[in-house]
Amino acid sequence: MNSLQDFDSTVLNNTINFSTTLTPGTSSTSNFTSSSASSPPQQPPPSSSTATLSRYENQKRRDWNTFGQYLRNHRPPLTLSRCSGAHVLEFLRYLDQFGKTKVHTQLCPFFGHPNPPAPCPCPLRQAWGSLDALIGRLRAAFEENGGKPEANPFGARAVRLYLREVRDSQAKARGISYEKKKRKRPQPQLQPQQQPPALPPSNAS
């Protein structure tokens, strides 16, 4: 996986839709026919664990390419070696314009309402869960592409504090608690205590 390779789409999954372009003069039907004719026999579908890993790796590569494009389009352009936690925060705020999560302001009558009964003009933002998962993938991709763990900008303290602030503010605005519920462990069934064997009656002399 190249660290900063060029790519056609500069958008993230769940934030901006990726699109596939066809070669001019061809159609999707002809492409499908030619590829299916020369393709090898179909293999059995991969297991669920393999498919999940593949989706994660593909998403991680797309996120990494998108961040690399963001650095190149930065003014002034930035190199990965000069990227800091502050630049990561700029990137996260930049993604808010593509968010789909309604975050109510304190002046909104639906502030803290988990299910608003009517629309409102409050802005759309990136959901905290999406940002948290994105930072996790980028942090892993940084080290996989030769970055040192101690210099990982995605693990900076400022980034962690920002994610915590977004989580808390969205929880209040949307009336949704992000605290994980503890699972109740099933109590083991108590087996009846075994009674000691009865002693034979002693014969009185």
Side-chain angles (χ1 to χ4, degrees):
M1 180 172 58
N2 298 330
S3 59
L4 293 177
Q5 64 184 16
D6 294 334
F7 61 100
D8 295 330
S9 300
T10 60
V11 289
L12 294 173
N13 189 22
N14 296 330
T15 59
I16 319 172
N17 294 327
F18 283 89
S19 62
T20 304
T21 58
L22 294 176
T23 305
T26 61
S27 62
S28 58
T29 306
S30 60
N31 289 340
F32 175 79
T33 305
S34 60
S35 60
S36 61
S38 59
S39 60
Q42 295 183 354
Q43 299 294 333
S47 61
S48 58
S49 60
T50 305
T52 303
L53 179 62
S54 177
R55 286 194 297 269
Y56 171 79
E57 293 297 331
N58 290 334
Q59 183 65 63
K60 182 170 60 176
R61 182 175 64 253
R62 288 194 295 266
D63 295 341
W64 182 248
N65 290 337
T66 301
F67 183 74
Q69 185 71 17
Y70 176 80
L71 294 182
R72 288 193 292 273
N73 294 336
H74 194 275
R75 294 293 179 267
L78 290 171
T79 60
L80 187 62
S81 59
R82 298 180 57 186
C83 178
S84 65
H87 299 122
V88 175
L89 295 182
E90 291 179 4
F91 177 65
L92 295 180
R93 295 188 180 101
Y94 160 78
L95 294 179
D96 269 336
Q97 62 183 309
F98 309 110
K100 298 180 181 180
T101 299
K102 179 78 71 173
V103 180
H104 304 287
T105 63
Q106 294 185 357
L107 299 178
C108 178
F110 303 140
F111 181 84
H113 199 297
N115 298 308
C120 65
C122 292
L124 296 176
R125 295 286 184 261
Q126 289 289 340
W128 163 78
S130 299
L131 294 180
D132 186 61
L134 170 66
I135 290 299
R137 292 190 296 268
L138 290 175
R139 184 169 61 242
F142 177 84
E143 298 180 9
E144 291 176 1
N145 285 276
K148 296 181 179 180
E150 60 272 14
N152 195 329
F154 304 101
R157 183 173 183 270
V159 177
R160 297 196 303 268
L161 292 177
Y162 177 79
L163 291 176
R164 186 182 305 172
E165 180 182 352
V166 171
R167 181 194 64 182
D168 295 342
S169 62
Q170 289 191 7
K172 293 178 181 178
R174 303 176 62 209
I176 299 175
S177 177
Y178 291 113
E179 298 296 334
K180 294 183 178 179
K181 297 181 179 180
K182 295 182 179 180
R183 295 182 179 180
K184 295 183 179 180
R185 296 182 178 179
Q187 297 181 356
Q189 296 181 355
L190 298 177
Q191 298 180 355
Q193 296 182 355
Q194 296 181 354
Q195 300 294 334
L199 296 176
S202 58
N203 295 328
S205 57

